Amino acid sequence: MSGTLHPQIASREATSHILKAFHLRASKRLGQNFLIDGGIVRGIVEAAEIAAGDRVLEIGPGIGTLTQGLAEAGADVTAVELDKKLPEVLAHTLAGYDNVRIVQGDILKVDIPEIMGEGKFKVVANLPYYITTPILMALLERRLPITRIVTMVQKEVAERMTAQPGGKDYGALSVAVQYYTEPEIVLEVPPKSFLPAPEVDSVVISCRVREVPAVRVRDERLFFRVVKAAFGQRRKTLSNAMKGAGFAKEEILSAFEGAGIDAARRGETLSLEEFASLADALHAIENA
Ligand code: SAM
């Protein structure tokens, strides 16, 4: 399997040629912005620290640009693509790579444990931007045996994923991503690295999945209910937002007291540890 046998897909010329040859147009609806920059493909593969034999789930292989980089690095790739027109293209662009398997389907609907089988794996993707958050949340919440997620996302989404308490970017996505992983922005990617160029700046983010979550909580579902309530109505104080989300007034006030948190604070100022203390205090009251 050598690079000389497989011309790089990651260039403007090769991508235009492949799209033309198969009478295809990039679909805006499916978030199709194909990478045309070989340096970025290499950067993603390096950030994922791919070693020969690593099992990788790729989401949205498109015409196979990133898939080729992963396959050349020796990964054992399972790539899930929604667009029914693309498996035929991929059979052509990735012909000869026996370490790639294409699954046609919607990543939000396919049974990931079934297609990935036993054992740990990495997720590597240039995600379709219209469903970035649902995909990330589904991957994290299902507690799949993922060791790392390395993905292209809109810069603004990466800023939310890595945001610290106190700012406008800090929200439920920041808490969930940081609860399960250690996110780090590794590459800035300009619009001209894609065909067609998206209207937004992009970055590659690497999220190393933690062996145990960042904070210990007694009831994870309750923890995330509190987090969602806190950010559901950002203008309200946390206690009012929680009332709005259906928590009982007396329970909320004793939980704040138990956790030593001022009930007049806004959700966006609470650290993960403070959300955990509040959820644990509520749990103790509900189970008293
Ligand atoms: N990986 C390719 C690249 O880097 O050039 C294509 C990336 S493009 C930004 C996103 C890809 O995700 C497209 O091929 C699109 O058809 C696919 N896609 C969109 N929605 C999807 C879904 N729900 N499940 C799986 N793939 C999806």
Side-chain angles (χ1 to χ4, degrees), residues 156 159-161 163-176 226-245 263-270 275:
E156 174 238 305
E159 282 163 357
R160 283 168 39 214
M161 293 166 74
Q164 295 301 308
K168 67 170 180 27
D169 291 333
Y170 186 64
L173 182 66
S174 329
V175 174
V226 172
V227 170
K228 281 191 184 127
F231 294 108
Q233 294 165 295
R234 294 182 76 111
R235 293 216 192 109
K236 293 192 175 174
T237 62
L238 182 54
S239 61
N240 281 336
M242 285 175 67
K243 255 182 258 168
R265 281 175 63 184
R266 285 174 196 277
E268 66 208 48
T269 67
L270 263 66
F275 274 119

Side-chain angles (χ1 to χ4, degrees), residues 32-97:
Q32 291 179 348
N33 297 94
F34 301 112
L35 265 171
I36 52 170
D37 184 334
I40 302 293
V41 171
R42 278 192 295 281
I44 296 174
V45 173
E46 269 166 33
E49 297 186 51
I50 299 296
D54 272 2
R55 287 155 25 81
V56 171
L57 169 64
E58 189 194 347
I59 300 163
I63 59 170
T65 318
L66 178 56
T67 327
Q68 182 177 40
L70 293 165
E72 287 283 338
D76 180 1
V77 188
T78 301
V80 179
E81 173 57 60
L82 179 58
D83 189 339
K84 290 197 174 102
K85 294 190 211 115
L86 292 179
E88 181 201 351
V89 181
L90 290 161
H92 176 82
T93 57
L94 300 174
Y97 289 101

Side-chain angles (χ1 to χ4, degrees), residues 16-288:
S16 306
H17 174 78
I18 292 164
L19 293 176
K20 216 182 250 170
F22 286 89
H23 308 290
L24 290 174
R25 266 184 203 203
S27 157
K28 213 171 177 174
R29 186 176 60 82
L30 293 177
Q32 291 179 348
N33 297 94
F34 301 112
L35 265 171
I36 52 170
D37 184 334
I40 302 293
V41 171
R42 278 192 295 281
I44 296 174
V45 173
E46 269 166 33
E49 297 186 51
I50 299 296
D54 272 2
R55 287 155 25 81
V56 171
L57 169 64
E58 189 194 347
I59 300 163
I63 59 170
T65 318
L66 178 56
T67 327
Q68 182 177 40
L70 293 165
E72 287 283 338
D76 180 1
V77 188
T78 301
V80 179
E81 173 57 60
L82 179 58
D83 189 339
K84 290 197 174 102
K85 294 190 211 115
L86 292 179
E88 181 201 351
V89 181
L90 290 161
H92 176 82
T93 57
L94 300 174
Y97 289 101
D98 55 10
N99 50 343
V100 176
R101 187 164 62 107
I102 305 296
V103 175
Q104 194 279 314
D106 182 341
I107 191 64
L108 293 176
K109 295 191 183 140
V110 294
D111 184 341
I112 297 175
E114 188 178 316
I115 61 167
M116 293 308 294
E118 290 282 300
K120 296 184 175 176
F121 61 94
K122 293 174 177 171
V123 174
V124 184
N126 171 13
L127 285 179
Y129 291 171
Y130 75 105
I131 43 166
T132 303
T133 305
I135 292 176
L136 289 172
M137 292 307 292
L139 292 174
L140 296 172
E141 284 174 348
R142 284 182 210 168
R143 287 290 178 90
L144 301 163
I146 298 170
T147 54
R148 199 182 294 199
I149 303 173
V150 178
T151 175
M152 182 84 69
V153 293
Q154 220 172 301
K155 188 172 179 187
E156 174 238 305
V157 174
E159 282 163 357
R160 283 168 39 214
M161 293 166 74
T162 51
Q164 295 301 308
K168 67 170 180 27
D169 291 333
Y170 186 64
L173 182 66
S174 329
V175 174
V177 168
Q178 293 169 35
Y179 177 79
Y180 292 114
T181 82
E182 293 173 275
E184 188 194 352
I185 293 174
V186 290
L187 270 180
E188 304 255 343
V189 186
K192 69 173 182 340
S193 297
F194 303 88
L195 185 76
E199 279 154 21
V200 292
D201 285 328
S202 303
V203 301
V204 176
I205 190 161
S206 169
C207 302
R208 199 185 280 268
V209 179
R210 299 174 187 274
E211 302 240 327
V212 287
V215 288
R216 205 182 265 273
V217 288
R218 287 181 192 281
D219 180 342
E220 204 166 80
R221 280 185 55 189
L222 182 60
F223 171 74
F224 281 110
R225 258 184 75 205
V226 172
V227 170
K228 281 191 184 127
F231 294 108
Q233 294 165 295
R234 294 182 76 111
R235 293 216 192 109
K236 293 192 175 174
T237 62
L238 182 54
S239 61
N240 281 336
M242 285 175 67
K243 255 182 258 168
F247 288 96
K249 190 176 166 193
E250 307 71 48
E251 285 191 4
I252 300 171
L253 294 178
S254 4
F256 275 104
E257 208 176 295
I261 294 170
D262 180 352
R265 281 175 63 184
R266 285 174 196 277
E268 66 208 48
T269 67
L270 263 66
S271 65
L272 264 69
E273 289 77 11
E274 289 175 312
F275 274 119
S277 310
L278 189 57
D280 281 354
L282 267 174
H283 177 82
I285 295 162
E286 285 178 1
N287 292 279

